[in-house]
Structures are given as structure tokens and as C-alpha cells.
Amino acid sequence: MTIQHPADRGGDERGRFERFAESASRFTSSPFFFAFCVVLVSLTVAAHIAGLGQAWLLLAGDAMTAVTLLLLALLKNSELRSERAIQRKLDAIAAAMLELQENAPGDAHEDLKRVIRMEDET
């Protein structure tokens, strides 16, 4: 079994996970999520200061660990998609420049237009 790069999964059509990861990425960069994280950290600190039982401290720590792991997975997915998009753009620029230098018109110019608008699609 081979694991594909996130940008290559599903061809040109984005899958459910890619759409979910994009939506989650937008949500986690919102002020609401930041406030949620501040409240979560504050509650954890307050639980320690208040000397609550071990069960409450474990619950708070587990909640913070779960949020951290989910954010790590989303961050890596976003990083891989961005990396692939940049590489595709660089490849299109290089191909268009080569066509221009060799005076050999081809599909590179149209491909360059398509990858420049890639952010609008993702």
C-alpha cells in the first residue's frame, strides 16, 4: 500500500478529508478557537491551583493532548498541500520560461494560468 501526497489524492477533485481539513484549518485560525484554547489552558491551570482530584487533572490534560494532536495532523496536511502547490507553480513557471526561450509555443502558458489560480480552488 502506498500513501499518496495529499495534493495527489482524488485527482483534481478534492476528497472529503481535504475539504474537512481546509474547513478545520479556517476554524482553528479563528478568534473563537483561540478563545477556546485560552479557556482550556486557564481551566487546566485553575484545576491545578484549586488542587482538584487526579481525575479532573487527567481529564484536563487529556483534553489538551487531544486538541494538540488534532492540530498537528491538520497543520501537517496543510503544509503538504501548500508545498505541492508551490512546486506545481514553480514547475509551470519553468516550463513557460523554457517555451518562451525556445520560441516553441505549447501548453505551458495555459498550465501557468491554471496553477496561478490554484489558491482560489483550494
Side-chain angles (χ1 to χ4, degrees):
M1 178 174 127
T2 60
I3 299 177
Q4 293 180 323
H5 194 281
D8 295 335
R9 294 183 198 138
D12 290 335
E13 184 66 28
R14 294 185 330 148
R16 283 183 287 173
F17 179 74
E18 284 78 19
R19 289 191 305 267
F20 169 74
E22 184 69 29
S23 297
S25 182
R26 279 192 217 107
F27 172 70
T28 56
S29 63
S30 71
F32 175 76
F33 185 74
F34 178 75
F36 169 75
C37 289
V38 168
V39 168
L40 185 62
V41 170
S42 299
L43 288 174
T44 303
V45 171
H48 281 282
I49 292 173
L52 293 180
Q54 191 72 19
W56 287 105
L57 296 176
L58 285 173
L59 179 65
D62 288 347
M64 289 182 58
T65 301
V67 169
T68 301
L69 288 175
L70 289 173
L71 288 175
L72 179 66
L74 291 171
L75 179 65
K76 188 61 179 175
N77 180 275
S78 178
E79 174 190 345
L80 290 173
R81 285 186 288 119
S82 295
E83 172 189 307
R84 183 54 59 102
I86 289 170
Q87 187 60 50
R88 287 179 61 190
K89 287 179 182 181
L90 288 173
D91 290 346
I93 290 169
M97 289 179 65
L98 187 60
E99 278 185 4
L100 184 64
Q101 185 179 18
E102 294 177 350
N103 290 327
D107 296 332
H109 182 72
E110 291 302 317
D111 189 40
L112 182 59
K113 281 187 196 177
R114 185 177 51 78
V115 296
I116 286 173
R117 286 188 234 115
M118 195 179 311
E119 286 86 20
D120 298 337
E121 299 168 6
T122 57

